[in-house]
Amino acid sequence: MKALRKLLDKWKPAFHEGGKLAKLQSVYEGFETFLFTPNTTSKSGSHIHDNNDMKRTMSTVIVALIPCLLFAMYNTGLQHYIAIGQPDTGWFTMFIFGLLAMLPVIVVSYVVGLGIEFISAQIHHKEIQEGFLVTGILIPLIVPINTPLWMTAVATAFAVIFAKEVFGGTGMNIFNVALITRAFLFFSYPAEMSGDNAFVKLDSAFGFGAGTVADGFSGATPLGQVATNVGPNLDGLNLDTWQAFVGTIPGSPGETSMIAILLGAALLLITGIASWRVMTSVFAGGIVMGLIANAFATPTYPASMLDPLAQLCYGGFAFAAVFMATDPVTGARTHIGQYIYGFLIGVIAILIRVYNGGYPEGAMLAVLLMNAFAPLIDHCVVNANIKRRMRRLKTNGYQEEDTTMNKNSNIYQIVYSSILVIAVGAILALVYMALKDRQNMNIADDSRKQILSSIRVTAPEGTTIEDTFNKYITDELLVDESGKVVQQGKGVAFGVNMKKFVKEKGKDKKYPVFVAKANDGTTKYILPMYGAGLWGPIWGYVSVNEDGSTIYGANFSHQGETPGLGARIAEPEFQDKFQGKELYKNNEFKSVEVVKKGQKGTTGGDCIDAISGATITSRGVSTMMQDCLAPYDAFLKSLRSETAK
Amino acid sequence: MAMIKLKKGYDLKLKGGVTSDAIIEAPKPAHCAIVPDDFTGIVPRMEKKEGEQVKAGEALYHDKTQERIKVASPVSGTVKAIVRGERRKIEQIVVECDENIDSKKFDLSSPIDALLDSGLWAMLRQRPYDVVPSPDATPRDIFVTCFDSAPLAPSLKVVLGEDMNYVEKGVELLNQLTSGSVYLGCRDGEEIEVKGAETIAFKGPHPAGNAGIQAGNVKPVNKGEVIWTTDVVTVARIGKLFATGSVDYGTVVAVTGEQVAQPCYVKTVMGAPVKPLLEGRLVDNGKQNRIICGNVLTGCQVNDEGYLRAPYRHITVIPELQKQDEFMGWVSMSPKKFSVYRNFPGWLLGMNRKPMNVDARINGGERAIVMSGEYDRMLPMDIYAEFLIKAIIAFDIDKMEQLGIYEVAPEDFALCEFADTSKLELQRIVREGLDKLRKEMA
């Protein structure tokens, strides 16, 4: 040690003002204080200080994360070998595979994050802060294992710079840095972050492992399976709460094992580093919301059928409760505030998970959301203390000379924001009324455009959409279920409001059909459709050839499907796949099914590959086509017989 | 008699506590000194010049603005030196002692004047601002602490000795000065009950013995009000002044700390040099000593040639460094390391219940406030300490007032400063905040 000390002392001048390496002063000092406890003694105030400092605090958290890290490595290997159909591989091999798979992520996270911290410390001539030591190990534990390294690097850099350094560094950030990394990845690269292929590493790690993926393997996480479940119960799913408790399930590396997380939690609570108030309130909130959801269980929201304790074991809930919610910097800081903060995280996490099918993992978003509210909660709690003090002042006969309104009082703020909301709401309503006609026109034009697009026509420049529409659409029909045309004429089909139409019940419904002359000179029949996606309605138009079976073109639109995932149904890449598919097989109506890549349809009809990561939207398209086109069976059959003649 | 239980705080157990109540008479000091910094809020204007004669209890200097407030010499003798520092700031006034102490006799007809002239007034403190009180304001209440809960602190009962009899007289005098009551804050089980004072027992760890903490839990000071805080030893001195007509600055001092071989009580006089008090009592183990007048949390460091500073009845000697250049101290698993957190193995081995080794190292670098609730668990008052500290750093006067700056003194934050993971100088922050606020409000 003495030799090391001497070496450091020898190098010291070079790193200080005027030295050759003065630009690296912060780095040098960082390493010096890392290696040797500084001999600085107290100059003012207390003469003795507690042995615990930020380095010790942060390293305690890292030690608490070690069980999760080790299990993450083992489980990454385990899932890989299950995927390639060799589940009997030894545990050590699995661990080594996981180690090799995770090591690059850990290295990238630390190199990028600490690099930025070092630069920032040098720019501000500050000591290097320890905050990233924990963040750097959290990132590999919450980022899906298949995330490309460059994405992790970009996300880490973004989070460290924009979520932390711009606010002033460790201790000043508003949002949890590791979660910002995860959220950045999640919203920027949704396709890579969800779906069944994100959580299980299928290719090799440094030439280790790898093999052909076993037949019928699905890497879906339990929550992913639950979210896409159809049917009155969850019996058909491969769910095992005990497995989730142990952690041998697919998922983000660190979050799967409840046992490992509880070990970490025990260390954090015993040492007193993490707030037991936050931690227990998160679990309490989760159980309460889980019970409520379970009490009103419905197949519409499959996750509500999970039992509340299982809710806690699945997904990132426990990990977020123990390691994310307890981040003192971004959480509530008053005791009462911590109870509220933690409880709401638990409630919101389960709320998102259950009632928001798009994000089967709600814990991350819940913590981020409450991060934003933590200062408000504290403000209210501290305000109560201030009020108490003011009341004491008044009862002592002391009058505040200042009679202006107290702008910090809770009532003032609530009234102020209410007035603001009403005023803004009124303005928006006025604008809406004023622009209503114009909007309707645009909506009609948009529908025309979609209809035209289904016969592969776009309005040429210089002409209005309406003109083009009138040129190509030669006739509009309403047909009944027996295939008979009951009404004919311009506007009869266009005037049908599909949203209302699909909800109508009864035998005598009249179904709209557009007759069009396509560019190839043949007649096409365009059938409108309307159904439900993941977030809201989806609709579309299918044009059918004169034979009544072959699809000439299709167009789909949506209101608010996930960008990058479900929203891709509106892209030509997906729509073009429908061209040439047959609605009929052996003279029987089969529709066209959208199924997962490599899987076979259930009806025996033509199939289209689903969009990976957008199971529910894809299924929505499939169902919509089946439901909306089936009533045209008689009409289409009559077309077929005509062409046969 | 009421009893108040305080849950927050911490009793630090250090090595080198006094074990016997026996009091050793120290040799008579050759010279004594007064350090003006000890009398917060007073800007000295000298009354005596170098070479002039002074009696015990006779004023050495008075305050620049409030001339009635005087600081007196603890002994009789000749003013030997007025040591000035930067910008001619008076650092200390050394008085060479006579053979026999010749005390000044005071006219007791006006209690306030007698107190002001004898220098005992300057030993009182007022809240807000934790400064020597102004003679123009009548305090709402007076809070007297009868025990010192700080680490290694002396028992004030031992320090008082027979002077305990003067407490009642002192209380009687204080009652004439306040419109409210005189509260005696005692440790549970060691209550002192005298006529004219309301005794309140406190149960709980340090800082339960701070008069300000006691006031905050009995009747907190509000904006626009003034309370006085002092300790029972000063009250006894006041009683003695009015019983005998002269002031006695003699005091019993506890000499304690890890570097003291035989911790003991020593009888000496306020302002005496520390060297003779420590001579032959220190451990020689090659470690550099840090001599602290007062306790390890709030005391002030003096060097070998330093003097027993006015407000203290306690000297603590600890090593400056336990270990030079400790290798990776932050991963240390040494059971000797103490923390109020339980992330050092010492607490597992029960070491936290035993007296521990300490040194003056800060044990870490200064950081932004990260850990939450750290200060709150060390401050038994209805105050959000962390928010108050932040308001002081930002010097947001409105927020400071709302969060209770008038109720606190730097010493209340001493334990917070000890436990702070971020290693902020909380006492300095609070002191500077109070000084700035006082200037702003004047």
Side-chain angles (χ1 to χ4, degrees), chain B residues 86-256:
Chain B
E86 261 176 65
R87 295 161 76 190
R88 293 187 49 76
K89 180 189 173 209
I90 299 171
E91 281 182 341
Q92 57 187 26
I93 300 145
V94 185
V95 178
E96 199 161 300
C97 305
D98 288 342
E99 200 62 26
N100 293 307
I101 290 184
D102 178 15
S103 290
K104 186 180 168 184
K105 285 281 172 192
F106 291 95
D107 170 20
L108 304 174
S109 56
S110 157
I112 289 196
D113 286 333
L115 274 181
L116 285 163
D117 290 341
S118 65
L120 284 177
W121 185 280
M123 308 293 282
L124 303 170
R125 290 289 177 275
Q126 71 156 53
R127 303 257 163 128
Y129 311 126
D130 192 41
V131 291
V132 176
S134 151
D136 306 324
T138 310
R140 188 198 71 199
D141 291 300
I142 298 175
F143 289 87
V144 182
T145 174
C146 298
F147 68 105
D148 190 343
S149 56
L152 301 178
S155 153
L156 294 192
K157 273 198 163 158
V158 176
V159 173
L160 273 177
E162 286 180 358
D163 286 351
M164 184 69 94
N165 303 326
Y166 294 112
V167 173
E168 189 165 342
K169 182 83 185 159
V171 168
E172 189 190 319
L173 245 291
L174 292 179
N175 262 323
Q176 294 176 24
L177 302 178
T178 167
S179 54
S181 336
V182 176
Y183 293 95
L184 294 183
C186 299
R187 198 195 291 278
D188 180 44
E190 294 176 12
E191 293 89 349
I192 300 172
E193 301 211 43
V194 295
K195 215 178 83 197
E198 197 172 320
T199 302
I200 292 173
F202 285 89
K203 199 174 182 173
H206 184 63
N210 289 7
I213 300 284
Q214 295 171 357
N217 283 284
V218 175
K219 214 174 164 193
V221 60
N222 296 308
K223 187 183 178 181
E225 293 175 345
V226 170
I227 58 162
W228 288 359
T229 60
T230 184
D231 60 28
V232 69
V233 179
T234 309
V235 175
R237 274 185 189 151
I238 293 172
K240 205 169 182 180
L241 169 67
F242 285 89
T244 64
S246 60
V247 62
D248 176 10
Y249 280 111
T251 184
V252 171
V253 172
V255 180
T256 62

Side-chain angles (χ1 to χ4, degrees), chain A residues 54-322:
Chain A
M54 211 55 79
K55 281 192 181 63
R56 183 77 180 194
T57 308
M58 294 298 175
S59 38
T60 308
V61 182
I62 292 177
V63 171
L65 279 164
I66 285 177
C68 285
L69 185 66
L70 293 181
F71 191 87
M73 289 173 175
Y74 165 69
N75 191 43
T76 303
L78 175 70
Q79 297 304 327
H80 171 79
Y81 284 103
I82 291 177
I84 61 171
Q86 304 167 11
D88 300 328
T89 314
W91 67 269
F92 188 71
T93 321
M94 292 176 174
F95 179 80
I96 294 295
F97 175 85
L99 176 73
L100 292 174
M102 285 191 71
L103 207 57
V105 193
I106 297 173
V107 170
V108 163
S109 142
Y110 269 122
V111 167
V112 173
L114 283 182
I116 294 170
E117 292 263 319
F118 279 17
I119 294 168
S120 155
Q122 184 61 42
I123 291 172
H124 298 108
H125 292 285
K126 278 198 300 200
E127 252 186 87
I128 286 166
Q129 315 241 316
E130 293 85 358
F132 194 79
L133 291 180
V134 172
T135 313
I137 198 79
L138 281 175
I139 290 173
L141 289 177
I142 58 171
V143 167
I145 189 72
N146 277 344
T147 313
L149 287 179
W150 67 266
M151 283 186 195
T152 310
V154 170
T156 306
F158 173 85
V160 172
I161 295 172
F162 290 101
K164 185 156 133 189
E165 292 307 328
V166 294
F167 290 103
T170 304
M172 309 287 186
N173 46 318
I174 297 173
F175 295 103
N176 185 306
V177 183
L179 282 182
I180 290 286
T181 310
R182 176 80 162 86
F184 180 88
L185 286 171
F186 196 86
F187 291 111
S188 306
Y189 312 106
E192 282 82 358
M193 285 306 115
S194 46
D196 300 344
N197 303 325
F199 296 102
V200 178
K201 194 167 175 71
L202 297 178
D203 47 357
S204 67
F206 294 108
F208 211 79
T212 30
V213 177
D215 245 7
F217 169 77
S218 156
T221 62
L223 283 179
Q225 295 177 37
V226 171
T228 53
N229 178 64
V230 258
N233 54 46
L234 301 173
D235 291 348
L237 300 179
N238 174 26
L239 293 180
D240 182 348
T241 310
W242 174 245
Q243 260 193 17
F245 189 76
V246 177
T248 50
I249 50 169
S252 293
E255 69 183 26
T256 58
S257 170
M258 189 78 169
I259 292 179
I261 293 168
L262 287 180
L263 280 176
L267 183 74
L268 288 179
L269 291 181
I270 289 170
T271 55
I273 296 295
S275 160
W276 62 268
R277 291 180 179 87
V278 174
M279 216 185 272
T280 45
S281 329
V282 177
F283 281 110
I287 289 176
V288 167
M289 192 60 222
L291 281 170
I292 295 174
N294 199 236
F296 301 101
T298 147
T300 321
Y301 302 112
S304 64
M305 293 183 284
L306 279 172
D307 105 292
L309 283 176
Q311 291 272 24
L312 305 187
C313 293
Y314 287 125
F317 185 90
F319 193 81
V322 173

Side-chain angles (χ1 to χ4, degrees), chain A residues 310-456:
Chain A
Q311 291 272 24
L312 305 187
C313 293
Y314 287 125
F317 185 90
F319 193 81
V322 173
F323 296 107
M324 297 297 181
T326 55
D327 173 7
V329 177
T330 53
R333 302 185 69 90
T334 55
H335 288 170
I336 301 165
Q338 284 172 340
Y339 290 121
I340 302 171
Y341 170 80
F343 190 80
L344 287 180
I345 287 181
V347 169
I348 295 172
I350 301 297
L351 200 69
I352 296 178
R353 178 185 285 180
V354 172
Y355 296 108
N356 204 331
Y359 300 115
E361 187 37 86
M364 166 192 79
L365 293 171
V367 176
L368 279 176
L369 182 70
M370 288 314 294
N371 278 177
F373 281 105
L376 181 69
I377 297 172
D378 277 344
H379 176 86
C380 293
V381 174
V382 173
N383 244 10
N385 176 280
I386 292 174
K387 266 225 175 102
R388 205 153 52 232
R389 188 162 288 112
M390 292 302 153
R391 210 174 303 133
R392 207 171 68 205
L393 196 65
K394 285 209 182 99
T395 53
N396 276 347
Y398 184 84
Q399 285 297 319
E400 182 90 35
E401 317 100 66
D402 190 12
T403 50
T404 52
M405 218 185 302
N406 176 13
K407 291 187 178 167
N408 284 322
S409 82
N410 293 346
I411 291 176
Y412 177 89
Q413 289 179 3
I414 289 167
V415 171
Y416 181 86
S417 40
S418 309
I419 291 174
L420 204 70
V421 165
I422 292 167
V424 171
I427 293 171
L428 284 178
L430 273 175
V431 171
Y432 174 75
M433 307 263 268
L435 295 177
K436 182 111 204 202
D437 285 346
R438 205 169 244 265
Q439 274 180 4
N440 285 342
M441 234 168 68
N442 283 340
I443 291 171
D445 260 2
D446 198 39
S447 300
R448 288 192 186 101
K449 205 165 131 190
Q450 288 162 14
I451 293 168
L452 287 175
S453 146
S454 72
I455 50 165
R456 308 192 207 166

Side-chain angles (χ1 to χ4, degrees), chain A residues 34-35 37 39-42 46-47 49-53 56 130 270-271 333 385 388-389 392 396, chain B residues 222 290 296 299 320 325-326 328-330 332 339-340 342-343 360 367 371 382 386 402 407 418 423:
Chain A
F34 178 85
L35 289 174
T37 303
N39 291 327
T40 354
T41 52
S42 119
S46 180
H47 296 272
H49 284 83
D50 196 288
N51 273 297
N52 183 48
D53 69 343
R56 183 77 180 194
E130 293 85 358
I270 289 170
T271 55
R333 302 185 69 90
N385 176 280
R388 205 153 52 232
R389 188 162 288 112
R392 207 171 68 205
N396 276 347
Chain B
N222 296 308
R290 173 177 280 227
V296 285
E320 186 78 13
D325 291 327
E326 190 182 352
M328 289 178 98
W330 57 278
S332 167
S339 172
V340 294
R342 289 175 292 269
N343 55 358
R367 296 286 184 270
M371 303 301 282
D382 184 22
E386 187 192 309
Q402 290 171 347
E407 296 162 44
F418 165 79
K423 312 291 176 192

Side-chain angles (χ1 to χ4, degrees), chain A residues 549 581-591 603-607 640:
Chain A
S549 173
K581 299 283 177 197
E582 299 278 345
L583 289 173
Y584 283 82
K585 277 271 139 69
N586 301 328
N587 228 2
E588 211 177 315
F589 178 73
K590 293 285 187 192
S591 177
T603 59
D606 276 344
C607 291
R640 288 164 72 77

